[in-house]
């Protein structure tokens, strides 16, 4: 069977961390993708120019020579127009976390009214808003309960590009068609898992993440939207590495580490559903259009060759460890187009 090729695949939601973990995981994404949107939920958060530049420098060092663009983001806080204008060219968006809903989000937003002046400035400066859309309610209902907030934002700021990050519900899929300025990312794991996989049998800490995987009908709606390359939906892995001791303990950290396996698994999934022709749009073209950027040319090839996912990458266990995937990433190279 001929190799399958993707042109400049993009990961529109990625956690790279800092220090040793950054140096471990960044090359894995940089090998497979042409670029990724880098999350700012570090301690302390990436919320000023000095922190943004030093984090970008650390990411660049970790990537080395790979053709890979780290699209940087800021952690949402009230910013002045001067601050935003100064940093605008170095970021692709600002990530809003409601306070306390997930890893390192304590510095997030407590009252939406306090965020609105900055959202108005972002609209004027055409800086996309990326949102972790969960309420503080019952865990299975948090995303659905957040929909009125998205609705309020979409109406109040009709020229602000709003990205619902890592959507997990059929309500969010349906919401995409209601407002021209609303888009979404979806992870690989939410296309294939339900809560049953996380907690229906023996507890699977490596599948525990925020937002938590939901019901079969939610997973099916997400999968149908991805397979059909819904034009407002982008792939964002939300690959969120935590060391093994932080996952296999009482008080397991939220996050699934998918970066090294995401693309071969997506090729396998789309092939299984006879939708390989739509994968290019889902993992690259939709994002280019929505964010209005052009990634570096990078052809990534896959061969159909059963491959076992490694049990671990140093301290971190990948999604699907020990399982067999039907495709393998074989090579990457510059394209002439
Ligand atoms: O599962 C998650 N892990 N969800 C998030 O929103 C944050 C992420 C992390 O940073 O570990
Ligand atoms: Zn995330």
């Amino acid at each position: 069977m001929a190799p399958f090729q993707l042109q400049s695949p993009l990961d529109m939601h990625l956690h790279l961390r800092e220090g040793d973990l950054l140096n471990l995981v960044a090359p894995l994404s940089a090998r497979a993708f042409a670029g990724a949107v880098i999350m700012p939920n570090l301690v302390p958060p990436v919320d000023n120019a000095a922190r943004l530049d030093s984090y970008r420098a650390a990411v660049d060092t970790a990537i080395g020579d790979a053709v890979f663009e780290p699209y940087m983001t800021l952690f949402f806080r009230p910013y002045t127009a001067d601050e935003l204008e100064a940093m605008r060219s170095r970021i692709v968006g600002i990530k809003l976390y409601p306070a306390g809903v997930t890893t390192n989000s304590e510095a997030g937003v407590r009252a939406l009214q306090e965020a609105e002046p900055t959202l108005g400035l972002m609209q004027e400066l055409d800086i996309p808003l990326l949102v972790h859309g969960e309420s503080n309610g019952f865990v299975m209902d948090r995303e659905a309960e957040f929909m009125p907030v998205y609705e309020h934002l979409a109406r109040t700021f009709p020229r602000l590009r709003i990205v619902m990050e890592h959507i997990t519900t059929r309500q969010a899929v349906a919401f995409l068609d209601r407002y021209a300025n609303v888009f979404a990312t979806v992870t690989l794991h939410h296309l294939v898992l339900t809560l049953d996989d996380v907690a229906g049998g023996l507890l699977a800490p490596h599948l525990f993440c925020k937002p938590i995987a939901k019901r079969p009908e939610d997973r099916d709606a997400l999968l149908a939207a991805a397979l059909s390359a819904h034009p407002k939906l982008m792939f964002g892995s939300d690959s969120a590495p935590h060391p093994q001791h932080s996952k296999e303990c009482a008080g397991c950290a939220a996050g699934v580490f998918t970066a090294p396996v995401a693309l071969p698994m997506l090729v396998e999934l789309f092939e299984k559903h006879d939708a390989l022709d739509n994968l290019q749009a889902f993992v690259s073209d939709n994002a280019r259009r929505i964010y209005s950027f052009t990634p570096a040319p990078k052809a990534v090839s896959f061969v159909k060759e059963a491959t076992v996912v490694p049990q671990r990458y140093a301290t971190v266990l990948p999604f699907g460890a020990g399982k067999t995937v039907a495709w393998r990433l074989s090579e990457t190279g510059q394209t002439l187009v």
Side-chain angles (χ1 to χ4, degrees):
M1 186 164 181
F4 174 74
Q5 209 172 65
L6 290 170
Q7 302 299 335
S8 300
L10 298 168
D11 181 347
M12 300 306 290
H13 184 131
L14 178 65
H15 297 269
L16 284 181
R17 314 303 193 200
E18 290 181 274
D20 290 346
L21 205 43
L22 168 63
N23 292 323
L24 171 71
V25 301
L28 300 170
S29 287
R31 173 168 185 250
F33 292 90
V37 175
I38 311 302
M39 290 298 128
N41 62 329
L42 307 180
V43 186
V46 181
D47 70 353
N48 60 73
R51 185 92 170 105
L52 177 67
D53 291 345
S54 65
Y55 188 41
R56 167 78 199 230
V59 170
D60 283 341
T61 302
I63 291 164
D65 292 337
V67 176
F68 179 83
E69 179 70 18
Y71 297 108
M72 306 304 287
T73 61
L74 287 170
F75 191 98
F76 188 96
R77 64 167 170 80
Y79 288 100
T80 65
D82 286 350
E83 284 178 307
L84 292 183
E85 273 161 25
M87 290 187 280
R88 195 299 128 276
S89 64
R90 287 173 270 168
I91 57 168
V92 296
I94 300 183
K95 176 75 184 286
L96 187 155
Y97 290 91
V101 295
T102 190
T103 312
N104 303 338
S105 63
E106 293 70 28
V109 171
R110 286 173 200 279
L112 200 58
Q113 303 91 295
E114 288 162 25
E116 298 205 345
T118 301
L119 296 173
L121 292 170
M122 290 169 63
Q123 172 169 261
E124 293 317 313
L125 292 168
D126 197 21
I127 300 173
L129 173 72
L130 286 50
V131 184
H132 183 115
E134 289 197 283
S135 71
N136 290 308
F138 179 65
V139 68
M140 288 292 279
D141 297 335
R142 286 176 192 173
E143 185 173 287
E145 285 178 1
F146 200 83
M147 288 298 136
V149 179
Y150 280 129
E151 179 143 28
H152 172 76
L153 293 173
R155 286 183 185 209
T156 311
F157 304 101
R159 289 177 290 108
L160 177 68
R161 277 178 279 177
I162 300 168
V163 183
M164 303 188 289
E165 295 294 333
H166 43 55
I167 58 171
T168 61
T169 57
R170 60 193 194 290
Q171 287 93 336
V173 175
F175 192 78
L176 278 176
D177 296 326
R178 295 191 41 206
Y179 291 93
N181 58 333
V182 173
F183 309 91
T185 62
V186 67
T187 74
L188 164 66
H189 46 286
H190 290 112
L191 296 180
V192 296
L193 301 177
T194 70
L195 184 58
D196 253 9
D197 298 293
V198 185
L202 295 178
L203 190 66
H206 296 283
L207 304 182
F208 172 64
C209 63
K210 299 283 178 68
I212 198 147
K214 304 287 187 319
R215 306 181 64 83
E217 51 271 39
D218 294 307
R219 191 255 331 262
D220 294 349
L222 296 165
L223 183 59
L227 292 173
S228 67
H230 188 299
K232 298 178 89 184
L233 188 62
M234 306 169 271
F235 174 63
S237 72
D238 200 11
S239 178
H242 291 277
Q244 185 172 12
H245 66 81
S246 303
K247 295 290 288 175
E248 298 179 4
C249 60
C252 161
V256 183
F257 177 49
T258 50
V261 294
L263 285 179
M265 285 189 181
L266 282 171
V267 175
E268 180 179 43
L269 182 66
F270 274 61
E271 186 196 33
K272 181 173 134 196
H273 291 277
D274 207 13
L276 263 186
D277 288 349
N278 286 340
L279 187 54
Q280 176 65 35
F282 177 58
V283 301
S284 187
D285 300 352
N286 289 351
R288 300 180 201 203
R289 201 181 53 251
I290 293 166
Y291 273 82
S292 331
F293 59 50
T294 307
K298 177 172 178 173
V300 182
S301 300
F302 302 85
V303 285
K304 195 160 189 188
E305 204 174 279
T307 306
V308 178
V309 176
Q311 290 291 350
R312 53 174 55 255
Y313 291 84
T315 53
V316 187
L317 276 60
F319 183 58
K323 298 221 170 95
T324 300
V325 183
W327 290 78
R328 176 172 72 75
L329 196 158
S330 64
E331 58 178 302
T332 60
Q334 298 282 113
T335 41
L336 296 175
V337 282

